[in-house]
Amino acid sequence: MISILIVDDHAVVRSGLRMLLEAQEDLEVAGEASEGNEAYAKTEEYRPNLVLMDLSMPHGKDGLSATSEIKKQFPDTYILVLTMHDDEEYLFRAIQLGASGCILKNAPHDELIKAIHQVAKGDAYLYPSATKRLMEEYMSKIEEGKEGGRFSLLSDREKEVLALVAKGYSNKEIGEKLVISVKTVEAHKANVMEKLQLKTRPELVEYAWKKGLFGYSI
């Protein structure tokens, strides 16, 4: 039997959820709470297997704060966030704070039951559009990591040349500033472009902007 604590600031929502959950043979409602402080207290009192947590509770402690405190004190308690916010900021923050999953309030009833069973087994659950955005975020982080890895391949001299190119210096001016020959400047530029996988000067400038190299001290 999966014991559940329902946390939502609307009594009508709590009542509807209770009716839905108690109609399931393997689910029971341990209690209800209307805000985060009460959620923490009821979790301590009833020790439910799972907390069904609303995020937006304007009176009292909000759902994100309650999630954080409950997971710190009761790490074996699973938290499934139930929210109206189809917003990646809320989603990622809830997961960072220890939630095992998120589902939208307008999700079909059978989807909510499925999510509860999945989270109660120790698995994660995300509604479909959230899964897509999480994958996009993950891939973005991978690309950032690749870019950071490529930048680390540059020597200090190559970084200096890159910064000066981005600032609009000509090869001759770069050579004079760094006291190297024009041919050496060209060789450094070629190495930079190869290591960063860039092909044109505008791409170099754009890259330098993104990396904040305009403030790079020479």
Side-chain angles (χ1 to χ4, degrees):
M1 186 71 72
I2 301 172
S3 175
I4 301 169
L5 174 68
I6 299 171
V7 184
D8 194 286
D9 60 329
H10 293 98
V12 173
V13 174
R14 295 197 305 273
S15 177
L17 287 171
R18 177 183 281 274
M19 290 179 61
L20 172 65
L21 300 181
E22 290 186 336
Q24 310 300 312
E25 293 183 357
D26 60 343
L27 303 181
E28 65 176 4
V29 176
E32 300 177 14
S34 61
E35 53 85 31
N37 288 316
E38 186 180 10
Y40 181 90
K42 292 290 180 69
T43 300
E44 185 174 33
E45 179 179 358
Y46 299 128
R47 300 299 175 91
N49 303 116
L50 184 146
V51 177
L52 193 56
M53 180 76 74
D54 183 23
L55 288 186
S56 298
M57 295 179 287
H59 305 293
K61 190 183 294 296
D62 64 87
L64 287 175
S65 299
T67 294
S68 176
E69 293 185 3
I70 289 172
K71 288 302 294 184
K72 285 178 182 177
Q73 192 64 31
F74 310 104
D76 293 334
T77 299
Y78 298 112
I79 296 179
L80 175 62
V81 169
L82 182 65
T83 180
M84 294 178 65
H85 297 283
D86 186 11
D87 186 319
E88 63 187 45
E89 181 180 349
Y90 281 95
L91 165 66
F92 295 148
R93 187 64 181 140
I95 292 173
Q96 287 172 348
L97 293 174
S100 296
C102 296
I103 186 168
L104 295 176
K105 284 187 174 181
N106 61 4
H109 289 170
D110 60 343
E111 192 67 22
L112 173 59
I113 300 303
K114 174 185 175 183
I116 288 173
H117 283 116
Q118 196 160 317
V119 168
K121 289 190 303 182
D123 295 331
Y125 177 88
L126 294 175
Y127 52 93
S129 61
T131 302
K132 181 175 182 293
R133 282 204 296 276
L134 197 62
M135 286 302 298
E136 289 171 348
E137 179 74 8
Y138 176 70
M139 293 307 297
S140 175
K141 293 297 183 184
I142 289 178
E143 289 304 314
E144 288 178 8
K146 286 180 180 177
E147 181 179 285
R150 288 195 291 265
F151 184 72
S152 67
L153 295 175
L154 300 183
S155 67
D156 289 341
R157 178 64 85 191
E158 288 167 348
K159 290 175 184 176
E160 291 174 344
V161 170
L162 173 58
L164 291 172
V165 168
K167 291 176 182 178
Y169 285 78
S170 67
N171 289 350
K172 182 181 178 182
E173 290 170 332
I174 293 173
E176 291 173 350
K177 189 171 183 64
L178 299 181
V179 196
I180 55 178
S181 70
V182 171
K183 184 173 287 189
T184 301
V185 172
E186 291 173 346
H188 283 314
K189 281 177 61 179
N191 288 338
V192 168
M193 296 180 80
E194 181 180 355
K195 289 179 180 180
L196 298 181
Q197 298 181 14
L198 303 174
K199 296 180 179 179
T200 66
R201 184 186 180 95
E203 287 180 346
L204 275 179
V205 174
E206 181 182 1
Y207 182 92
W209 267 110
K210 289 180 177 179
K211 297 298 291 186
L213 294 182
F214 281 80
Y216 191 87
S217 58
I218 308 299

